[in-house]
Amino acid sequence: MSAVHAGAGPGLLQAGRALLLRDLRLVWRRRGDALQPALFALLVVVMFALALGGGKQVLRDFVAPYAIWVAVLLAGLLSLDSLFRGDAEDGSLEQWILAPVPLAWLVAVRTFGHWLTTAVPLLLVVPVLGEFLYLPRAHLPMLMLTLLLGTPVLSLLGAVVAALTVGLKRSGILVALLALPLYVPVLVFGAGSVAASAQGLDASGALLLLAAMLVASAVLAPLAAAAAIRIAQG
């Protein structure tokens, strides 16, 4: 038994590393596509600023954290439908199911790669988005903390939705309709933490809830997505 467990660890790490490097190479070949979420978030923030007439006080005190969170959330939806679709079309998902490593582990690695290539570029441009909305720089650390806790939850929940719809054709709108209600609590607690901190209130409760969501989704979402993939490929 000990020998089996000794070989399982390196097998999991090797399979995860190979899948992650493959995904990163594919993203590198399509570097222009990788910038689309960040550009989309920038456009959303600019539209918020234009719609509110550029009122500095309104943007700074009321709109900025919510607008940035909405922009990040919507930008993450752009690549959600393609999370598993390419693998389903070329037969890779069937190989995932037959692989000697747990399917949930491969799903978790793919989801981490999705977060790494979509959310991280968004996080890098958040300071720029904050400048557009006159977000006080003192509030930027809290905003970044909530995004670091919340964006992995969005990717994990999105992976479940993408797995549920992987067997359907032209499911882009359906993915958004299914994902957005799941994203609402993350949006409320994420943006609400920044707003509460800006008003001098204690935001630790909302941050703890975000952390709890991250732990729960990290454990349960890959299992749920793996089950959905098995059903879709069954």
Side-chain angles (χ1 to χ4, degrees):
M1 181 66 71
S2 61
V4 172
H5 286 290
L12 288 176
L13 295 177
Q14 185 177 6
R17 180 176 177 272
L19 178 60
L20 183 60
L21 290 177
R22 171 184 175 272
D23 290 345
L24 293 178
R25 282 195 296 267
L26 291 176
V27 170
W28 179 252
R29 292 174 185 173
R30 303 190 301 267
R31 295 185 289 276
D33 295 342
L35 295 176
Q36 289 182 3
L39 294 176
F40 181 80
L42 180 61
L43 289 175
V44 171
V45 166
V46 170
M47 294 300 289
F48 265 104
L50 292 176
L52 293 172
K56 182 176 180 179
Q57 184 174 357
V58 174
L59 292 173
R60 180 188 61 196
D61 297 338
F62 302 104
V63 176
Y66 296 98
I68 292 175
W69 254 98
V70 169
V72 171
L73 186 152
L74 294 177
L77 288 174
L78 291 179
S79 60
L80 196 57
D81 183 50
S82 61
L83 189 58
F84 302 113
R85 186 164 302 280
D87 298 283
E89 292 175 351
D90 64 14
S92 297
L93 280 186
E94 296 179 1
Q95 300 301 317
W96 284 22
I97 296 173
L98 299 175
V101 296
L103 179 58
W105 169 251
L106 298 177
V107 169
V109 173
R110 166 58 58 81
T111 306
F112 174 72
H114 174 267
W115 177 82
L116 198 63
T117 55
T118 57
V120 171
L122 285 171
L123 293 176
L124 294 177
V125 300
V126 163
V128 178
L129 303 182
E131 292 295 328
F132 273 102
L133 296 173
Y134 303 105
L135 179 74
R137 294 181 180 178
H139 301 164
L140 187 60
M142 175 61 72
L143 176 61
M144 295 297 294
L145 177 59
T146 60
L147 289 172
L148 283 172
L149 290 173
T151 50
V153 180
L154 298 180
S155 292
L156 288 162
L157 295 176
V160 177
V161 174
L164 288 171
T165 59
V166 71
L168 304 177
K169 294 182 179 180
R170 299 179 181 178
S171 59
I173 298 298
L174 181 60
V175 168
L177 291 176
L178 292 175
L180 285 175
L182 299 176
Y183 286 178
V184 169
V186 185
L187 172 65
V188 170
F189 290 119
S193 298
V194 184
S197 177
Q199 297 171 12
L201 302 176
D202 184 13
S204 59
L207 290 176
L208 289 175
L209 284 172
L210 275 178
M213 289 181 189
L214 176 57
V215 172
S217 58
V219 174
L220 299 177
L223 297 175
I229 290 174
R230 289 185 186 277
I231 293 172
Q233 296 296 308

